[in-house]
Amino acid sequence: MSTFKRRVWALLSGNAIGQAITVAISPLLTRLYSPEAFGQFGIFLSIVAILSVFATLRFERGIVVAGSVREQRSLFLLVAGIAVMTGGALTLLSMLIPRESLPPDASAHLVVLREWGWIIGLAVTLTGWEIALRHIALKRGYFGVMALSRVGHSCVQGGGQVAMGGLGWSAGLTLGAVISLAFRICWLAWALAKDLRFIFRRSLVDIRGAWRRNKDFPRYMVAASLCTSFISQGLMVMGGALASAAVVGQLYLAHRMLVLPMSLLTRSVTDVNFKELSEIDVNKIRRVYLSRAKRLILWGTGPFLAAFILSPFVYPLIFGDEWQAAGRFAQLLIPGLWVQFAISPFGPTFWVLKRNRLFLGLSIIRMILLFTGMGSGFMLFSAEGIAAGFSLGVTIGYALQHKLLLRALQ
């Protein structure tokens, strides 16, 4: 447990500083950019997150569980190559779509594709490289490197967005995110220079064999990760399809300000869980899971209850009067996010148990529950129904994950 705590705190410290920077500059960004700009930015991030599943085909999971250095080397190069091909294909596809074919009153998604299609492919490639480098660092146990890269990422992104917003560039949110992603890749590559030299020094790498030996990852995990991406980006996906960019911006800010502090712990616990559960006896996983999940529930109760009570008052006070709707949306999102906080860090347990097919089925069901909830909520209660339906769908989906994981661990 002491090793677990040290690793979590190493990642947590970097994430905490990075998130603090992001939260600290958010009141400034909400005064430099309109809700419409935030809505388009949220949709851009959701599109990149969903398409990035194809940038790695989930082979990066194999880097962590690979037993030999040669296998890790082959998988790293495989992921890097797939990311380049995927990003290039997306860029060419976006160039073939004539802008004039999109109607002026198109949905928020189409507006983003029209304005940012040329850079989506680049962002997807960079995301694939960042994922590959981060999993090499995770396999090596370089938790400090991962933490520092997160801090630098937040500094570059926030500083760039503020600077471009001060110059009146409405595209500053998106460009700042892409520039910061490139910075994080450079930082990780520099910190992992010794490992990367070893990777590229050997010319004989068994990429084809690595694909064959790890084919279960793309076979099951691509579809499962695609469902998970749609779930995590559900507010942007459904909001952009049903509501205006201004409403999507309110939903984005409400969700982002809640998820940022929540992810301080969940990201760190998820990474450490993945590494440690892949190395311990399977018979001990159930006990570890129940103990850590119970602890997360207890840790989250107080902060989430306080946020539920204060959100309608805090959001307009901090971010400005035009963000009052974000406070109401945040209050509706909190119950589902509390359940997600306690259960989501243990999703990698399915990969450790080699229950990829079960996780795929679970991901499909969770996605259906989420979008059904949001669609039904919108028909009944308009924009606020999207947030309420999201919360209900997330709660039921993670409760189902808990039950299936306990059954898999029997």
Side-chain angles (χ1 to χ4, degrees), residues 202-224:
R202 302 289 186 88
S203 59
L204 296 177
V205 291
D206 188 16
I207 294 180
R208 182 177 179 181
W211 181 298
R212 185 175 61 254
R213 289 187 294 272
N214 294 272
K215 60 184 178 182
D216 279 350
F217 287 106
R219 177 181 297 174
Y220 298 115
M221 295 310 299
V222 166

Side-chain angles (χ1 to χ4, degrees), residues 94-353:
S94 68
M95 294 173 63
L96 296 176
I97 301 177
R99 289 191 173 189
E100 58 273 12
S101 67
L102 299 177
D105 59 344
S107 68
H109 289 99
L110 293 178
V111 171
V112 172
L113 290 174
R114 179 176 59 203
E115 299 296 330
W116 296 105
W118 60 275
I119 204 173
I120 287 177
L122 173 62
V124 168
T125 295
L126 293 177
T127 301
W129 288 354
E130 188 272 335
I131 290 173
L133 289 168
R134 180 157 42 85
H135 279 75
I136 285 288
L138 180 61
K139 180 63 177 179
R140 298 290 191 274
Y142 297 162
F143 296 102
V145 170
M146 297 171 65
L148 288 175
S149 72
R150 181 69 182 87
V151 175
H153 174 88
S154 297
C155 291
V156 173
Q157 176 171 309
Q161 289 173 336
V162 169
M164 286 182 274
L167 294 174
W169 295 1
S170 60
L173 290 171
T174 302
L175 293 177
V178 175
I179 293 171
S180 65
L181 183 58
F183 168 83
R184 191 172 191 181
I185 290 172
C186 294
W187 177 275
L188 288 171
W190 175 78
L192 296 170
K194 182 178 180 180
D195 300 271
L196 294 179
R197 282 197 299 269
F198 178 77
I199 286 174
F200 290 105
R201 186 166 60 242
R202 302 289 186 88
S203 59
L204 296 177
V205 291
D206 188 16
I207 294 180
R208 182 177 179 181
W211 181 298
R212 185 175 61 254
R213 289 187 294 272
N214 294 272
K215 60 184 178 182
D216 279 350
F217 287 106
R219 177 181 297 174
Y220 298 115
M221 295 310 299
V222 166
S225 297
L226 193 61
C227 292
T228 302
S229 295
F230 272 107
I231 291 170
S232 62
Q233 305 298 328
L235 278 176
M236 299 298 99
V237 173
M238 184 61 77
L242 298 176
S244 65
V247 173
V248 176
Q250 300 279 356
L251 287 168
Y252 172 76
L253 185 70
H255 184 261
R256 179 179 175 81
M257 289 300 104
L258 293 172
V259 170
L260 281 177
M262 184 181 88
S263 63
L264 283 177
L265 194 60
T266 55
R267 285 183 181 179
S268 304
V269 173
T270 299
D271 287 340
V272 176
N273 275 339
F274 189 23
K275 176 176 175 58
E276 293 192 351
L277 296 181
S278 65
E279 297 172 348
I280 67 174
D281 191 291
V282 175
N283 297 324
K284 298 179 181 179
I285 294 179
R286 180 186 176 93
R287 177 174 56 83
V288 174
Y289 164 60
L290 291 175
S291 174
R292 293 180 181 178
K294 180 180 179 181
R295 189 169 301 160
L296 289 175
I297 291 174
L298 294 175
W299 288 350
T301 300
F304 277 107
L305 180 61
F308 181 82
I309 297 172
L310 298 175
S311 289
F313 310 101
V314 171
Y315 272 79
L317 177 64
I318 295 178
F319 303 110
D321 291 338
E322 63 178 337
W323 297 95
Q324 290 183 359
R328 297 194 303 271
F329 292 152
Q331 195 173 43
L332 295 170
L333 294 172
I334 283 171
L337 293 177
W338 178 55
V339 177
Q340 180 180 342
F341 172 78
I343 306 300
S344 64
F346 304 96
T349 309
F350 288 95
W351 313 330
V352 174
L353 297 174

